[in-house]
């Protein structure tokens, strides 16, 4: 079945339908990872978005339940150059096309994804539409495309009830993790360091967390514009005003910055992939990181009496981390839990554990 991708700019790409044949309007973003497509699809931070994979061959090792980063894929659409029809791997449990159909994810293959990536890099992230209709009016499609906005996604992806995850091995600490769209490996990284993890829905009152007797609080990754989460930001400020150790990642990093008076802005095309270099200013060295974000904290808005920039993006200097003046509180924009890799910055979980034990690393 033929499929058509229409961008907000009016550009049109022809291809072949994969996954669901349903029409889909969403925000189009690109990811430069060469592997890890299943972890990418199941990252809740992609809610409301269509993912353009710049690497040309996708699906070659199939899918399996162990690689899911959440209970289901959250991406709206998937755009690839070539979809492998048969997964070749001893862990393969099924094919990617069937997986997309199962979860009603609209896709298109046969598109020049590198050309599409160049458009999104030069003109910026924009909305788009995939349709399998034989006949359509581009102008009518553009009206729908331009009216679309990613909104309400944290409420869409967060769990509805608290969930307890036991420590792996001897339990040493108890952590409250706020689920704004958390990835499973973030929980596993805490579990294997001896943490019992209680994961809470995004809108849980801070009073519930503070009364829980936890050793520390972690704020997770998640989708959408951080400034939309006004009520959550109010509760995050209460957590900041407590004495509990705090560690925040991606959306959590942005929410804490907003709660303490800083500002965020939408990036032209964001950072999405597994090869982004970030410099740890205190360590004086660079790390390769996994990233997925379209918003960033503006450095000039950070009050030096409240926090200092701890990490910067090597490519263009944007803020990748903050260390707060308040004891035992630090945040990063990238994903130290990786999945898919690299795992270079897992040391940040060790730093968080140390801060809960009474010291800072």
């Amino acid at each position: 079945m033929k499929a058509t991708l229409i961008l907000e700019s009016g550009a049109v790409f022809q291809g072949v339908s994969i996954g669901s044949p349903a029409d889909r309007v969403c925000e189009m973003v690109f990811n430069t990872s060469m592997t890890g497509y299943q972890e990418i699809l199941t990252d809740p931070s992609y809610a409301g978005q269509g993912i353009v994979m710049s690497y040309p061959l996708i699906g070659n090792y199939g899918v399996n339940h162990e690689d899911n980063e959440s209970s289901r894929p959250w991406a709206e659409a998937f755009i690839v150059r070539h979809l492998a029809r048969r997964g070749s791997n001893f862990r393969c449990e099924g094919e990617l096309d069937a997986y997309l159909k199962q979860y009603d994810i609209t896709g298109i293959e046969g598109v020049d994804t590198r050309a599409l990536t160049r458009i999104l890099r030069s003109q910026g992230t924009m909305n788009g539409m995939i349709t399998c209709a034989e006949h359509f009016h581009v102008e009518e499609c553009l009206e729908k495309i331009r009216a679309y906005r990613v909104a309400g996604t944290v409420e869409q992806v967060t769990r509805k009830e608290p969930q307890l995850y036991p420590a792996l091995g001897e339990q040493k600490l108890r952590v409250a993790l706020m689920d704004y769209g958390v990835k499973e490996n973030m929980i596993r990284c805490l579990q294997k360091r001896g943490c019992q993890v209680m994961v809470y829905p995004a809108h849980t009152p801070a009073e519930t967390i503070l009364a829980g007797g936890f050793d520390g609080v972690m704020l997770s990754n998640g989708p959408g514009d951080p400034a939309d989460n006004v009520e959550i930001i109010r509760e995050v400020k209460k957590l900041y005003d407590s004495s509990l150790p705090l560690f925040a990642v991606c959306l959590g990093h942005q929410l804490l910055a907003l709660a303490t008076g800083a500002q965020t802005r939408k990036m032209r095309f964001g950072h999405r992939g597994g090869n982004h270099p970030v410099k740890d200013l205190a360590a004086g060295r660079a790390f390769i990181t996994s990233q997925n974000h379209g918003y960033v904290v503006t450095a000039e808005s950070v009050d030096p009496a409240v926090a200092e920039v701890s990490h910067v993006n090597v490519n263009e200097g944007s803020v990748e981390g903050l260390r707060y003046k308040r004891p035992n509180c630090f945040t990063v924009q990238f994903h130290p839990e990786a999945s898919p890799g690299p795992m270079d910055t897992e040391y940040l979980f060790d730093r968080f554990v140390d801060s809960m034990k009474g010291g800072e690393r």
Side-chain angles (χ1 to χ4, degrees):
M1 184 186 300
K2 292 182 179 179
T4 305
L5 168 63
I6 307 164
L7 293 181
E8 185 178 349
S9 63
V12 176
F13 292 81
Q14 301 291 339
V16 176
S17 173
I18 57 174
S20 169
D23 289 357
R24 197 60 48 84
V25 178
C26 52
E27 182 181 62
M28 296 295 173
V29 299
F30 67 87
N31 187 297
T32 57
S33 298
M34 297 174 67
T35 61
Y37 48 81
Q38 187 177 340
E39 292 93 335
I40 291 165
L41 284 166
T42 54
D43 180 350
S45 298
Y46 282 109
Q49 296 178 326
I51 306 170
V52 179
M53 299 299 294
S54 65
Y55 187 70
L57 177 60
I58 300 297
N60 52 309
Y61 53 86
V63 295
N64 71 83
H65 72 281
E66 292 182 352
D67 288 345
N68 286 335
E69 281 300 313
S70 61
S71 60
R72 49 156 286 189
W74 290 102
E76 294 287 334
F78 203 50
I79 300 94
V80 301
R81 179 69 182 92
H82 176 73
L83 180 74
R85 299 300 171 187
R86 177 180 296 179
S88 178
N89 186 276
F90 73 98
R91 298 170 65 242
C92 177
E93 298 173 349
E95 309 308 329
L96 180 55
D97 187 36
Y99 186 76
L100 297 175
K101 287 182 170 68
Q102 177 185 352
Y103 290 100
D104 193 33
I105 299 173
T106 298
I108 183 172
E109 79 160 319
V111 172
D112 186 341
T113 53
R114 293 186 178 182
L116 182 52
T117 297
R118 287 173 67 93
I119 290 174
L120 297 177
R121 277 183 58 89
S122 61
Q123 300 180 33
T125 295
M126 65 183 76
N127 294 340
M129 177 180 185
I130 297 176
T131 179
C132 294
E134 287 287 336
H135 305 287
F136 56 87
H137 297 287
V138 173
E139 289 303 319
E140 292 180 2
C141 294
L142 287 175
E143 287 183 15
K144 297 178 182 178
I145 292 169
R146 290 165 181 165
Y148 179 82
R149 183 178 183 272
V150 176
T153 45
V154 170
E155 288 76 10
Q156 179 185 353
V157 304
T158 189
R159 66 198 64 210
K160 307 307 178 187
E161 300 290 337
Q163 188 172 355
L164 181 66
Y165 292 79
L168 299 178
E170 180 187 356
Q171 179 181 319
K172 303 173 184 176
L173 298 161
R174 296 180 65 242
V175 174
L177 196 159
M178 304 306 298
D179 176 15
Y180 308 130
V182 68
K183 292 168 67 180
E184 287 295 318
N185 201 46
M186 190 176 295
I187 300 171
R188 288 192 292 267
C189 283
L190 293 170
Q191 287 179 289
K192 71 183 183 182
R193 288 168 171 81
C195 298
Q196 179 195 76
V197 184
M198 178 64 84
V199 184
Y200 285 95
H203 288 279
T204 302
E207 289 78 9
T208 301
I209 309 302
L210 297 175
F214 295 103
D215 297 295
V217 180
M218 188 160 186
L219 311 180
S220 82
N221 61 292
D225 184 344
D228 287 345
N229 301 284
V230 177
E231 294 179 3
I232 294 175
I233 292 169
R234 188 180 303 120
E235 299 305 309
V236 168
K237 180 61 165 62
K238 296 175 186 177
L239 295 174
Y240 174 80
D241 289 339
S242 76
S243 59
L244 281 175
L246 267 174
F247 177 32
V249 169
C250 200
L251 179 63
H253 154 84
Q254 298 163 0
L255 294 174
L256 186 53
L258 290 168
T260 54
Q263 297 177 353
T264 57
R265 64 173 175 84
K266 188 170 185 178
M267 307 175 78
R268 187 171 64 176
F269 51 80
H271 296 152
R272 297 175 181 88
N275 59 349
H276 290 265
V278 168
K279 185 173 183 180
D280 182 329
L281 298 178
R285 58 170 293 189
F287 296 88
I288 303 302
T289 67
S290 177
Q291 301 205 12
N292 172 19
H293 64 103
Y295 292 82
V296 67
V297 176
T298 57
E300 61 274 13
S301 71
V302 177
D303 184 348
V306 174
E308 63 182 4
V309 176
S310 60
H311 296 72
V312 296
N313 189 284
V314 174
N315 290 333
E316 30 80 320
S318 62
V319 175
E320 293 279 4
L322 294 171
R323 178 178 287 277
Y324 286 79
K325 303 297 183 179
R326 177 263 219 208
N328 297 319
C329 183
F330 62 98
T331 69
V332 292
Q333 179 63 75
F334 50 91
H335 285 240
E337 83 288 346
S339 289
M343 297 171 140
D344 298 29
T345 54
E346 266 200 30
Y347 71 90
L348 292 167
F349 289 98
D350 297 322
R351 178 181 294 175
F352 180 46
V353 168
D354 283 353
S355 72
M356 290 188 285
K357 289 180 178 178
E360 281 195 300
R361 179 183 291 187

